[in-house]
Every structure is written in structure tokens, then in C-alpha cells.
Amino acid sequence: MNYIVFDLEWNQSPGGKRWSNSRLPFEIIEIGAVKLNEKKEIVDSFQRLIKPQVYNWIHDSIHEVIHMNYKDLQNGTLFPQAVTEFLKWCGEEYIFFTWGNQDVMELQRNMKYYGKLSLLPGPVTYYDVQKLFAIRYEENDERRALEFAADKMGVEKQMDFHRALGDAYYTACVLQKIEDEYIFPNSSLDVYQNPKSKKEEIHVSYPTYDKYVSREFYSRERAMKDREVTSTKCPLCHNPAKRKIRWFMNNSKVYYSVSLCQEHGFVLGKIRIRRTEDNMYYVIKKLTNVTDEEADEIRQKRDAHRAKKRMKKEEV
């Protein structure tokens, strides 16, 4: 099994959102990766500059960070060839590691744009080293910058930050210093390639919470009427938990609920509804055991939400 630590640099519309391609808002311009064996020893590296096909200039803010000009990319490899070479280099059996949670999704979006998504079946399980570092070293699971983590771990600075291969290298160095007991129980799941049917729905148990990813629905309302979507079970014993606060939407993106497990106490439910590029909807539900105080905070949110709705009705 190869451990593939990779990083991407991408560009966006230099003219702003108005001129952005909705199918490819972020165009990958560099792939950098480091390969580790199962002992977490670095054994190889990979790097490709990508010749842009969508945006014909580097966005100013991107240029300030990566110090790369459009001219630097003109002799680069076209993305379909670069990603094919990258996945072949990964080997037959591999696991992805990244710093943060965006690279795996953007890789797939670029692959879909060029008709290469079949090379990477999803949903994709990977490991977010930024999250792992927080679990291991930060009391409040605070997300830190890569350079902060490298400095804290005493990693010698041999390459530039904010370039794909350099960031992949430093991420690998941080990974080497995190014990396996903090790594493998805490995988991440990218659902850019989301479940399409009931059979493909995902149920995952992590050390401190359960996650469920639903099939697609035609509307948000239909999703929230589904029994599996709105069910609540205790993440510790997996028995049904009795609803104390019904699902309510605190803002336009998140639904909350609180249930009670007789053995393990309160269970916080959180639902996010995502819209696909085909205008379908699917649900990501997270169930976590919480304290009485945390459950009461949700109750207060519910009450404030109800009060706001009443005020709006009275105004009408």
C-alpha cells in the first residue's frame, strides 16, 4: 500500500466571478506529490506543471501566493495527460493524504471536466493531515497552517511553501510524526461523487461520531421527509435515540436536532443538504454525543429561531 501525499495549486478567473466557468471555477495548474511506504518512509516524488486551457491569465491573488506567471505554464503538460500519469505513478494500491479538505474534490472536478473521472471512482476515502494534526496536537481541534505545523514539528525547511511539491513534502514530514493510532481511525470522505441510489448510501462510524450520506432527492423538502435521513441513533451503542428537539433549520444550510439515548445521554444531529451539479439534492448527516450544556445551547437556538419566525409573521 502506497501513501500518496499530494497537493494542488489552482487558478481562477482573473476577471472575477462574472467570467468564471461554472463547471471549472478552479483550474489546476500544478500537481505535486510524495510517495511513502507503509513505514511512512519517503520513496518517490511527482511534479507536473499544467498548461491552462480555461483561464488565460493568473489571478492576481493567486500570483501573489505562488509566484508563478502564466508564461511559466506554457510548456506545461495538458491536464488529462498529467492526471493520467499521476494516477499511474500512485500505483495499484494507494491511500491519499492531503493538507485540508479541498484538494481531493478539486482533483475530481477537474477530472470530470476533461472526461477522466472514471479513473478515480468515488466517493473517495482519504486522510486530511491538517485534521489529524489538530486531533493529535491541538486542544480545541484548531485548524493550523501547514507552515505552523512544520515549525512545531521541527521540520527542516528545504523547499518553498505554496508550491505543490513543497507543500506535499512538508505535509508528508508532518504525517511522519503523527502516530498511527491518531491517523487510521480518523479518515475523511469526499462525496463529490455522491451516492445515487439507496444501495449506495454511506454509513460510517468514527471514534466520536457517526456520518451518513444519503442518495439523491429531487428537492430539499423531499429529503427531509425521508425516514432514514431524519432518524437519530446513538453513535456509541447505535440504538435509536428518542427525539427531544425536532429537526429545525437554524439558517439556510444546516438543520439541527437533539435526541436522548437512555444509556449515553444527548445526541446532537446535524444535517447539511448539498445540491449537485445536476440540481439534485443529497444529505450529509452527523450524529455526535454531547453534554447537557451543549444540548441546551441547541434548545436556545431553536427557541431563538421560533421567536424570529413569529416576529416575521407579525410584521406581515
Side-chain angles (χ1 to χ4, degrees), residues 254-272:
V254 183
Y255 291 81
Y256 293 97
S257 75
V258 174
S259 303
L260 180 64
C261 170
Q262 293 299 324
E263 184 176 355
H264 298 108
F266 288 111
V267 176
L268 170 64
K270 183 184 292 187
I271 282 177
R272 295 182 183 273

Side-chain angles (χ1 to χ4, degrees), residues 127-163:
Y127 291 87
D128 177 354
V129 182
Q130 186 185 45
K131 181 178 80 171
L132 301 177
F133 177 83
I135 292 171
R136 177 64 179 90
Y137 296 106
E138 298 294 324
E139 292 184 2
N140 299 317
D141 291 348
E142 184 177 356
R143 293 296 185 108
R144 296 289 192 173
L146 177 56
E147 189 167 4
F148 175 94
D151 287 341
K152 183 167 184 175
M153 307 309 295
V155 176
E156 184 180 351
K157 295 181 180 178
Q158 301 179 358
M159 308 177 73
D160 291 335
F161 284 92
H162 307 301
R163 288 297 300 269

Side-chain angles (χ1 to χ4, degrees), residues 282-307:
Y282 66 97
V283 164
I284 300 176
K285 178 174 67 177
K286 182 179 179 181
L287 297 171
T288 312
N289 292 94
V290 294
T291 63
D292 293 4
E293 291 77 12
E294 290 171 312
D296 191 56
E297 288 179 10
I298 298 300
R299 184 176 292 105
Q300 292 176 30
K301 283 186 179 182
R302 190 271 315 271
D303 293 344
H305 176 70
R306 285 180 173 177

Side-chain angles (χ1 to χ4, degrees), residues 1-8 32-38 40 86 90 94-101 103-104 124-130 132 167-169 171-172 174-176 178-180 182-184 186-188:
M1 179 69 71
N2 296 321
Y3 300 165
I4 305 299
V5 184
F6 80 92
D7 185 83
L8 306 173
V34 174
K35 182 183 293 183
L36 290 75
N37 59 24
E38 291 185 343
K40 292 193 287 188
F86 170 57
C90 289
Y94 60 88
I95 305 172
F96 280 150
F97 292 79
T98 64
W99 187 265
N101 58 13
D103 290 77
V104 174
V124 178
T125 297
Y126 69 103
Y127 291 87
D128 177 354
V129 182
Q130 186 185 45
L132 301 177
D167 283 359
Y169 168 76
T171 301
V174 173
L175 174 66
Q176 288 175 323
I178 301 175
E179 299 87 345
D180 288 354
Y182 293 97
I183 298 173
F184 295 107
N186 294 295
S187 62
S188 295

Side-chain angles (χ1 to χ4, degrees), residues 35-51:
K35 182 183 293 183
L36 290 75
N37 59 24
E38 291 185 343
K39 295 180 181 179
K40 292 193 287 188
E41 299 168 329
I42 296 176
V43 296
D44 202 1
S45 63
F46 178 96
Q47 191 269 343
R48 292 289 186 278
L49 290 179
I50 312 297
K51 183 177 181 178

